[in-house]
Amino acid sequence: GRYHNNNRGYNNSHRQHRSTKTTVYLGNLRDDVTKNDIQNELRNFNEKWNNLTIRLNLRSGWSHAFVDFELSSEARKLINNWNNRPNSLTTTRLRCEISKRQI
């Protein structure tokens, strides 16, 4: 029974609970894309996704966005459907993956 003191880990667990969001990176975006465009595309895909947090960074030739999902399963659904596919948000193929920079 020496290991019972491990309950201390519990205190950390609800600190992380706040940021269980999964951030998806969208790359190869058109330079004239708007948050609205992204919102519309997300809504076309799943109408429940009408108020996701979107952070858009427009840079000439390197425009990208981050979208926050409550559930990683939802994020993966989007990635499986959008990654490397043509999309109105891009002139080439969309890059859609789990962001390396999770909040």
PDB file of all heavy atoms in Angstrom, residues 10-33:
ATOM      1  N   TYR A  10      -4.166  14.324  -7.956  1.00  0.00           N
ATOM      2  CA  TYR A  10      -5.521  14.813  -8.195  1.00  0.00           C
ATOM      3  C   TYR A  10      -5.567  16.331  -8.314  1.00  0.00           C
ATOM      4  O   TYR A  10      -6.256  16.879  -9.150  1.00  0.00           O
ATOM      5  CB  TYR A  10      -6.426  14.345  -7.056  1.00  0.00           C
ATOM      6  CG  TYR A  10      -7.764  15.022  -7.083  1.00  0.00           C
ATOM      7  CD1 TYR A  10      -8.721  14.650  -8.013  1.00  0.00           C
ATOM      8  CD2 TYR A  10      -8.063  16.046  -6.200  1.00  0.00           C
ATOM      9  CE1 TYR A  10      -9.942  15.276  -8.064  1.00  0.00           C
ATOM     10  CE2 TYR A  10      -9.279  16.684  -6.234  1.00  0.00           C
ATOM     11  CZ  TYR A  10     -10.218  16.291  -7.175  1.00  0.00           C
ATOM     12  OH  TYR A  10     -11.427  16.937  -7.225  1.00  0.00           O
ATOM     13  N   ASN A  11      -4.780  17.016  -7.468  1.00  0.00           N
ATOM     14  CA  ASN A  11      -4.829  18.477  -7.465  1.00  0.00           C
ATOM     15  C   ASN A  11      -4.429  19.054  -8.815  1.00  0.00           C
ATOM     16  O   ASN A  11      -4.972  20.042  -9.253  1.00  0.00           O
ATOM     17  CB  ASN A  11      -3.911  19.027  -6.386  1.00  0.00           C
ATOM     18  CG  ASN A  11      -4.416  18.620  -5.023  1.00  0.00           C
ATOM     19  OD1 ASN A  11      -5.605  18.410  -4.851  1.00  0.00           O
ATOM     20  ND2 ASN A  11      -3.512  18.478  -4.074  1.00  0.00           N
ATOM     21  N   ASN A  12      -3.471  18.439  -9.465  1.00  0.00           N
ATOM     22  CA  ASN A  12      -3.075  18.947 -10.770  1.00  0.00           C
ATOM     23  C   ASN A  12      -4.168  18.705 -11.789  1.00  0.00           C
ATOM     24  O   ASN A  12      -4.345  19.474 -12.698  1.00  0.00           O
ATOM     25  CB  ASN A  12      -1.828  18.223 -11.273  1.00  0.00           C
ATOM     26  CG  ASN A  12      -0.701  18.389 -10.295  1.00  0.00           C
ATOM     27  OD1 ASN A  12      -0.729  19.325  -9.510  1.00  0.00           O
ATOM     28  ND2 ASN A  12       0.257  17.488 -10.338  1.00  0.00           N
ATOM     29  N   SER A  13      -4.906  17.606 -11.622  1.00  0.00           N
ATOM     30  CA  SER A  13      -5.775  17.216 -12.719  1.00  0.00           C
ATOM     31  C   SER A  13      -6.865  18.237 -12.970  1.00  0.00           C
ATOM     32  O   SER A  13      -7.245  18.441 -14.081  1.00  0.00           O
ATOM     33  CB  SER A  13      -6.372  15.843 -12.476  1.00  0.00           C
ATOM     34  OG  SER A  13      -7.272  15.907 -11.407  1.00  0.00           O
ATOM     35  N   HIS A  14      -7.357  18.948 -11.895  1.00  0.00           N
ATOM     36  CA  HIS A  14      -8.380  19.863 -12.368  1.00  0.00           C
ATOM     37  C   HIS A  14      -7.845  21.204 -12.824  1.00  0.00           C
ATOM     38  O   HIS A  14      -8.583  21.990 -13.342  1.00  0.00           O
ATOM     39  CB  HIS A  14      -9.608  19.989 -11.482  1.00  0.00           C
ATOM     40  CG  HIS A  14      -9.358  20.304 -10.055  1.00  0.00           C
ATOM     41  ND1 HIS A  14     -10.048  19.674  -9.073  1.00  0.00           N
ATOM     42  CD2 HIS A  14      -8.519  21.138  -9.460  1.00  0.00           C
ATOM     43  CE1 HIS A  14      -9.646  20.130  -7.924  1.00  0.00           C
ATOM     44  NE2 HIS A  14      -8.716  21.017  -8.120  1.00  0.00           N
ATOM     45  N   ARG A  15      -6.550  21.405 -12.655  1.00  0.00           N
ATOM     46  CA  ARG A  15      -6.008  22.611 -13.268  1.00  0.00           C
ATOM     47  C   ARG A  15      -6.005  22.454 -14.791  1.00  0.00           C
ATOM     48  O   ARG A  15      -6.354  23.362 -15.515  1.00  0.00           O
ATOM     49  CB  ARG A  15      -4.582  22.850 -12.777  1.00  0.00           C
ATOM     50  CG  ARG A  15      -4.299  24.334 -12.655  1.00  0.00           C
ATOM     51  CD  ARG A  15      -2.854  24.629 -12.369  1.00  0.00           C
ATOM     52  NE  ARG A  15      -1.954  23.824 -13.161  1.00  0.00           N
ATOM     53  CZ  ARG A  15      -1.031  23.034 -12.641  1.00  0.00           C
ATOM     54  NH1 ARG A  15      -0.917  22.915 -11.332  1.00  0.00           N
ATOM     55  NH2 ARG A  15      -0.215  22.352 -13.427  1.00  0.00           N
ATOM     56  N   GLN A  16      -5.636  21.288 -15.267  1.00  0.00           N
ATOM     57  CA  GLN A  16      -5.585  21.069 -16.704  1.00  0.00           C
ATOM     58  C   GLN A  16      -6.979  20.989 -17.300  1.00  0.00           C
ATOM     59  O   GLN A  16      -7.147  21.133 -18.486  1.00  0.00           O
ATOM     60  CB  GLN A  16      -4.855  19.762 -16.996  1.00  0.00           C
ATOM     61  CG  GLN A  16      -3.411  19.800 -16.549  1.00  0.00           C
ATOM     62  CD  GLN A  16      -2.842  18.404 -16.412  1.00  0.00           C
ATOM     63  OE1 GLN A  16      -3.602  17.445 -16.333  1.00  0.00           O
ATOM     64  NE2 GLN A  16      -1.547  18.302 -16.361  1.00  0.00           N
ATOM     65  N   HIS A  17      -7.940  20.723 -16.467  1.00  0.00           N
ATOM     66  CA  HIS A  17      -9.270  20.468 -17.009  1.00  0.00           C
ATOM     67  C   HIS A  17      -9.812  21.647 -17.797  1.00  0.00           C
ATOM     68  O   HIS A  17     -10.567  21.472 -18.727  1.00  0.00           O
ATOM     69  CB  HIS A  17     -10.223  20.109 -15.872  1.00  0.00           C
ATOM     70  CG  HIS A  17     -11.201  19.065 -16.282  1.00  0.00           C
ATOM     71  ND1 HIS A  17     -10.805  17.774 -16.539  1.00  0.00           N
ATOM     72  CD2 HIS A  17     -12.528  19.118 -16.520  1.00  0.00           C
ATOM     73  CE1 HIS A  17     -11.863  17.083 -16.916  1.00  0.00           C
ATOM     74  NE2 HIS A  17     -12.909  17.859 -16.915  1.00  0.00           N
ATOM     75  N   ARG A  18      -9.390  22.848 -17.402  1.00  0.00           N
ATOM     76  CA  ARG A  18      -9.866  24.041 -18.086  1.00  0.00           C
ATOM     77  C   ARG A  18      -9.543  24.013 -19.571  1.00  0.00           C
ATOM     78  O   ARG A  18     -10.359  24.342 -20.394  1.00  0.00           O
ATOM     79  CB  ARG A  18      -9.184  25.261 -17.478  1.00  0.00           C
ATOM     80  CG  ARG A  18     -10.080  26.077 -16.613  1.00  0.00           C
ATOM     81  CD  ARG A  18      -9.488  27.447 -16.389  1.00  0.00           C
ATOM     82  NE  ARG A  18      -8.213  27.628 -17.055  1.00  0.00           N
ATOM     83  CZ  ARG A  18      -7.041  27.641 -16.436  1.00  0.00           C
ATOM     84  NH1 ARG A  18      -6.973  27.455 -15.154  1.00  0.00           N
ATOM     85  NH2 ARG A  18      -5.915  27.838 -17.120  1.00  0.00           N
ATOM     86  N   SER A  19      -8.305  23.647 -19.914  1.00  0.00           N
ATOM     87  CA  SER A  19      -7.895  23.795 -21.296  1.00  0.00           C
ATOM     88  C   SER A  19      -7.853  22.460 -22.005  1.00  0.00           C
ATOM     89  O   SER A  19      -6.825  22.043 -22.480  1.00  0.00           O
ATOM     90  CB  SER A  19      -6.535  24.468 -21.375  1.00  0.00           C
ATOM     91  OG  SER A  19      -5.599  23.618 -20.751  1.00  0.00           O
ATOM     92  N   THR A  20      -8.978  21.763 -21.987  1.00  0.00           N
ATOM     93  CA  THR A  20      -9.003  20.498 -22.709  1.00  0.00           C
ATOM     94  C   THR A  20      -9.345  20.744 -24.171  1.00  0.00           C
ATOM     95  O   THR A  20      -9.612  19.819 -24.900  1.00  0.00           O
ATOM     96  CB  THR A  20     -10.040  19.543 -22.108  1.00  0.00           C
ATOM     97  OG1 THR A  20     -11.249  20.280 -21.932  1.00  0.00           O
ATOM     98  CG2 THR A  20      -9.569  19.002 -20.781  1.00  0.00           C
ATOM     99  N   LYS A  21      -9.376  21.998 -24.575  1.00  0.00           N
ATOM    100  CA  LYS A  21      -9.652  22.273 -25.982  1.00  0.00           C
ATOM    101  C   LYS A  21      -8.546  21.705 -26.861  1.00  0.00           C
ATOM    102  O   LYS A  21      -7.395  21.631 -26.457  1.00  0.00           O
ATOM    103  CB  LYS A  21      -9.744  23.774 -26.221  1.00  0.00           C
ATOM    104  CG  LYS A  21     -11.003  24.400 -25.669  1.00  0.00           C
ATOM    105  CD  LYS A  21     -11.133  25.798 -26.240  1.00  0.00           C
ATOM    106  CE  LYS A  21     -12.168  26.642 -25.542  1.00  0.00           C
ATOM    107  NZ  LYS A  21     -13.474  26.033 -25.417  1.00  0.00           N
ATOM    108  N   THR A  22      -8.933  21.319 -28.056  1.00  0.00           N
ATOM    109  CA  THR A  22      -7.958  20.858 -29.044  1.00  0.00           C
ATOM    110  C   THR A  22      -7.904  21.903 -30.149  1.00  0.00           C
ATOM    111  O   THR A  22      -8.935  22.279 -30.705  1.00  0.00           O
ATOM    112  CB  THR A  22      -8.391  19.502 -29.638  1.00  0.00           C
ATOM    113  OG1 THR A  22      -8.470  18.554 -28.574  1.00  0.00           O
ATOM    114  CG2 THR A  22      -7.389  19.020 -30.678  1.00  0.00           C
ATOM    115  N   THR A  23      -6.685  22.384 -30.422  1.00  0.00           N
ATOM    116  CA  THR A  23      -6.531  23.427 -31.427  1.00  0.00           C
ATOM    117  C   THR A  23      -6.115  22.800 -32.754  1.00  0.00           C
ATOM    118  O   THR A  23      -5.181  22.008 -32.802  1.00  0.00           O
ATOM    119  CB  THR A  23      -5.481  24.453 -30.977  1.00  0.00           C
ATOM    120  OG1 THR A  23      -5.898  24.992 -29.723  1.00  0.00           O
ATOM    121  CG2 THR A  23      -5.362  25.585 -31.992  1.00  0.00           C
ATOM    122  N   VAL A  24      -6.846  23.180 -33.805  1.00  0.00           N
ATOM    123  CA  VAL A  24      -6.543  22.689 -35.145  1.00  0.00           C
ATOM    124  C   VAL A  24      -5.899  23.816 -35.945  1.00  0.00           C
ATOM    125  O   VAL A  24      -6.340  24.963 -35.893  1.00  0.00           O
ATOM    126  CB  VAL A  24      -7.833  22.204 -35.851  1.00  0.00           C
ATOM    127  CG1 VAL A  24      -7.571  21.898 -37.324  1.00  0.00           C
ATOM    128  CG2 VAL A  24      -8.377  20.967 -35.152  1.00  0.00           C
ATOM    129  N   TYR A  25      -4.842  23.480 -36.650  1.00  0.00           N
ATOM    130  CA  TYR A  25      -4.140  24.430 -37.508  1.00  0.00           C
ATOM    131  C   TYR A  25      -4.681  24.300 -38.929  1.00  0.00           C
ATOM    132  O   TYR A  25      -4.797  23.192 -39.456  1.00  0.00           O
ATOM    133  CB  TYR A  25      -2.650  24.088 -37.477  1.00  0.00           C
ATOM    134  CG  TYR A  25      -1.818  24.822 -38.509  1.00  0.00           C
ATOM    135  CD1 TYR A  25      -1.351  26.112 -38.259  1.00  0.00           C
ATOM    136  CD2 TYR A  25      -1.484  24.218 -39.719  1.00  0.00           C
ATOM    137  CE1 TYR A  25      -0.578  26.782 -39.203  1.00  0.00           C
ATOM    138  CE2 TYR A  25      -0.708  24.882 -40.664  1.00  0.00           C
ATOM    139  CZ  TYR A  25      -0.262  26.156 -40.399  1.00  0.00           C
ATOM    140  OH  TYR A  25       0.494  26.815 -41.321  1.00  0.00           O
ATOM    141  N   LEU A  26      -5.056  25.427 -39.517  1.00  0.00           N
ATOM    142  CA  LEU A  26      -5.462  25.461 -40.927  1.00  0.00           C
ATOM    143  C   LEU A  26      -4.422  26.257 -41.691  1.00  0.00           C
ATOM    144  O   LEU A  26      -4.210  27.438 -41.396  1.00  0.00           O
ATOM    145  CB  LEU A  26      -6.825  26.154 -41.090  1.00  0.00           C
ATOM    146  CG  LEU A  26      -8.053  25.471 -40.503  1.00  0.00           C
ATOM    147  CD1 LEU A  26      -9.280  26.344 -40.747  1.00  0.00           C
ATOM    148  CD2 LEU A  26      -8.257  24.095 -41.101  1.00  0.00           C
ATOM    149  N   GLY A  27      -3.782  25.628 -42.652  1.00  0.00           N
ATOM    150  CA  GLY A  27      -2.740  26.317 -43.410  1.00  0.00           C
ATOM    151  C   GLY A  27      -3.051  26.350 -44.894  1.00  0.00           C
ATOM    152  O   GLY A  27      -4.013  25.739 -45.357  1.00  0.00           O
ATOM    153  N   ASN A  28      -2.218  27.066 -45.632  1.00  0.00           N
ATOM    154  CA  ASN A  28      -2.422  27.273 -47.085  1.00  0.00           C
ATOM    155  C   ASN A  28      -3.686  28.068 -47.373  1.00  0.00           C
ATOM    156  O   ASN A  28      -4.316  27.865 -48.410  1.00  0.00           O
ATOM    157  CB  ASN A  28      -2.513  25.944 -47.846  1.00  0.00           C
ATOM    158  CG  ASN A  28      -1.192  25.221 -47.905  1.00  0.00           C
ATOM    159  OD1 ASN A  28      -0.153  25.821 -47.630  1.00  0.00           O
ATOM    160  ND2 ASN A  28      -1.223  23.955 -48.250  1.00  0.00           N
ATOM    161  N   LEU A  29      -4.065  28.949 -46.472  1.00  0.00           N
ATOM    162  CA  LEU A  29      -5.280  29.727 -46.701  1.00  0.00           C
ATOM    163  C   LEU A  29      -5.041  30.808 -47.751  1.00  0.00           C
ATOM    164  O   LEU A  29      -3.926  31.306 -47.905  1.00  0.00           O
ATOM    165  CB  LEU A  29      -5.742  30.388 -45.399  1.00  0.00           C
ATOM    166  CG  LEU A  29      -6.094  29.441 -44.255  1.00  0.00           C
ATOM    167  CD1 LEU A  29      -6.507  30.228 -43.023  1.00  0.00           C
ATOM    168  CD2 LEU A  29      -7.205  28.481 -44.663  1.00  0.00           C
ATOM    169  N   ARG A  30      -6.111  31.191 -48.447  1.00  0.00           N
ATOM    170  CA  ARG A  30      -6.029  32.333 -49.364  1.00  0.00           C
ATOM    171  C   ARG A  30      -5.703  33.590 -48.563  1.00  0.00           C
ATOM    172  O   ARG A  30      -6.129  33.754 -47.428  1.00  0.00           O
ATOM    173  CB  ARG A  30      -7.389  32.551 -50.063  1.00  0.00           C
ATOM    174  CG  ARG A  30      -7.816  31.465 -50.990  1.00  0.00           C
ATOM    175  CD  ARG A  30      -8.984  31.933 -51.874  1.00  0.00           C
ATOM    176  NE  ARG A  30      -9.772  33.004 -51.266  1.00  0.00           N
ATOM    177  CZ  ARG A  30     -10.954  32.819 -50.658  1.00  0.00           C
ATOM    178  NH1 ARG A  30     -11.475  31.611 -50.561  1.00  0.00           N
ATOM    179  NH2 ARG A  30     -11.601  33.842 -50.174  1.00  0.00           N
ATOM    180  N   ASP A  31      -4.987  34.510 -49.192  1.00  0.00           N
ATOM    181  CA  ASP A  31      -4.601  35.737 -48.483  1.00  0.00           C
ATOM    182  C   ASP A  31      -5.788  36.661 -48.222  1.00  0.00           C
ATOM    183  O   ASP A  31      -5.684  37.581 -47.431  1.00  0.00           O
ATOM    184  CB  ASP A  31      -3.536  36.493 -49.275  1.00  0.00           C
ATOM    185  CG  ASP A  31      -2.206  35.755 -49.263  1.00  0.00           C
ATOM    186  OD1 ASP A  31      -2.017  34.891 -48.380  1.00  0.00           O
ATOM    187  OD2 ASP A  31      -1.372  36.027 -50.136  1.00  0.00           O
ATOM    188  N   ASP A  32      -6.892  36.437 -48.921  1.00  0.00           N
ATOM    189  CA  ASP A  32      -8.048  37.318 -48.716  1.00  0.00           C
ATOM    190  C   ASP A  32      -9.152  36.625 -47.927  1.00  0.00           C
ATOM    191  O   ASP A  32     -10.285  37.074 -47.895  1.00  0.00           O
ATOM    192  CB  ASP A  32      -8.593  37.798 -50.076  1.00  0.00           C
ATOM    193  CG  ASP A  32      -9.061  36.630 -50.939  1.00  0.00           C
ATOM    194  OD1 ASP A  32      -8.738  35.455 -50.608  1.00  0.00           O
ATOM    195  OD2 ASP A  32      -9.738  36.884 -51.944  1.00  0.00           O
ATOM    196  N   VAL A  33      -8.823  35.524 -47.286  1.00  0.00           N
ATOM    197  CA  VAL A  33      -9.832  34.778 -46.550  1.00  0.00           C
ATOM    198  C   VAL A  33     -10.233  35.572 -45.303  1.00  0.00           C
ATOM    199  O   VAL A  33      -9.438  36.341 -44.763  1.00  0.00           O
ATOM    200  CB  VAL A  33      -9.281  33.369 -46.191  1.00  0.00           C
ATOM    201  CG1 VAL A  33      -8.495  33.388 -44.904  1.00  0.00           C
ATOM    202  CG2 VAL A  33     -10.395  32.362 -46.128  1.00  0.00           C
TER     203      VAL A  33
END
